[in-house]
Amino acid sequence: MTTSSPATIVRHYHQAWTSCDIDGAMALVADDINCRAPGGDLAGKDAYRGFIGGFAPMLTGIGDIAEFAEGNRVALFYYPETAVTSTAPAAEFFTVTNGKISESVLIFDRLSYAPVGQD
Amino acid sequence: MTTSSPATIVRHYHQAWTSCDIDGAMALVADDINCRAPGGDLAGKDAYRGFIGGFAPMLTGIGDIAEFAEGNRVALFYYPETAVTSTAPAAEFFTVTNGKISESVLIFDRLSYAPVGQD
């Protein structure tokens, strides 16, 4: 049993994946996570890991904007900085169940992260 | 002087623009609003009104997901339903100053709202 708050769990998750520690991040994610991501839903930890693990290596930095927490729900707003952009924000709305992230709504503008010239 | 809380102001703003009451919505927005929107920043109420006023008529419904409030900061997650999609979420992070929305970070995936076949 964990005694960490949902906000702490999400903060550790965020810190891990944005440092390319994908194993550390996935330790905080439920096996049956459902994630609504731009372009389609991700069902289960394997699909989610593939998505996050594919994006994390492109990060060159992270700019945090805001965090909100209420009960088992946590929201993050931040700038995932890449070679293409450092001003395109992302938002994530997490639900934490039994100490793990069980649902995520992940929002960002795919066009803002497209290679220059494809926008 | 208003006595409404930041969360109430944002809720009224959200309710107004999503009902196509653009005047009612803009009454709750500061003249010098800064908005970070997908594809570019909007400086000032005229630019912001043009953006929101251009999108509002495309709405066919709204699906609210979550609201967070802390001090003068408020976050909304919701589904702007259009003819193209009802499953592409949007997030807004508002700062309220002196009873009006003074800053907004608006996040959605433009590709998800593109006409079918352009994705």
Side-chain angles (χ1 to χ4, degrees):
Chain A
M1 293 286 291
T2 179
T3 54
S4 297
S5 72
T8 300
I9 288 163
V10 166
R11 213 174 291 141
H12 286 164
Y13 163 79
H14 181 71
Q15 214 274 325
W17 86 259
T18 59
S19 315
C20 254
D21 173 11
I22 304 301
D23 286 341
M26 291 305 140
L28 301 167
V29 170
D31 289 343
D32 61 349
I33 185 172
N34 275 302
C35 175
R36 177 139 285 179
D41 292 353
L42 304 166
K45 199 191 231 179
D46 287 349
Y48 188 67
R49 183 190 180 102
F51 188 88
I52 298 293
F55 185 69
M58 293 194 283
L59 277 188
T60 57
I62 197 86
D64 289 322
I65 305 175
E67 176 194 307
F68 295 86
E70 198 178 282
N72 68 333
R73 309 177 318 157
V74 181
L76 296 183
F77 290 79
Y78 59 92
Y79 291 112
E81 299 167 359
T82 70
V84 174
T85 179
S86 62
T87 56
E92 279 180 285
F93 167 54
F94 300 94
T95 305
V96 177
T97 308
N98 297 326
K100 300 216 175 178
I101 294 167
S102 56
E103 281 186 62
S104 160
V105 178
L106 168 59
I107 310 172
F108 61 86
D109 177 47
R110 282 177 286 172
L111 280 178
S112 295
Y113 294 89
V116 175
Q118 292 191 16
D119 190 317
Chain B
M1 292 287 290
T2 178
T3 54
S4 297
S5 72
T8 300
I9 288 163
V10 166
R11 215 174 291 142
H12 286 164
Y13 164 79
H14 182 70
Q15 214 274 326
W17 87 260
T18 59
S19 314
C20 254
D21 174 11
I22 304 300
D23 286 340
M26 292 304 140
L28 300 168
V29 169
D31 289 342
D32 60 350
I33 185 172
N34 275 302
C35 175
R36 177 140 284 180
D41 292 353
L42 304 166
K45 198 191 233 181
D46 286 350
Y48 188 69
R49 184 191 179 100
F51 187 87
I52 298 294
F55 184 69
M58 292 194 283
L59 278 187
T60 57
I62 197 87
D64 289 322
I65 305 174
E67 176 194 307
F68 294 86
E70 197 178 282
N72 68 334
R73 309 177 318 157
V74 181
L76 296 182
F77 290 79
Y78 58 92
Y79 291 112
E81 298 167 0
T82 70
V84 174
T85 179
S86 62
T87 57
E92 280 180 285
F93 168 53
F94 300 95
T95 305
V96 177
T97 307
N98 296 327
K100 300 216 175 178
I101 295 167
S102 56
E103 282 186 61
S104 160
V105 177
L106 169 60
I107 311 172
F108 60 86
D109 177 47
R110 284 177 286 172
L111 280 178
S112 294
Y113 294 90
V116 175
Q118 293 191 14
D119 190 316

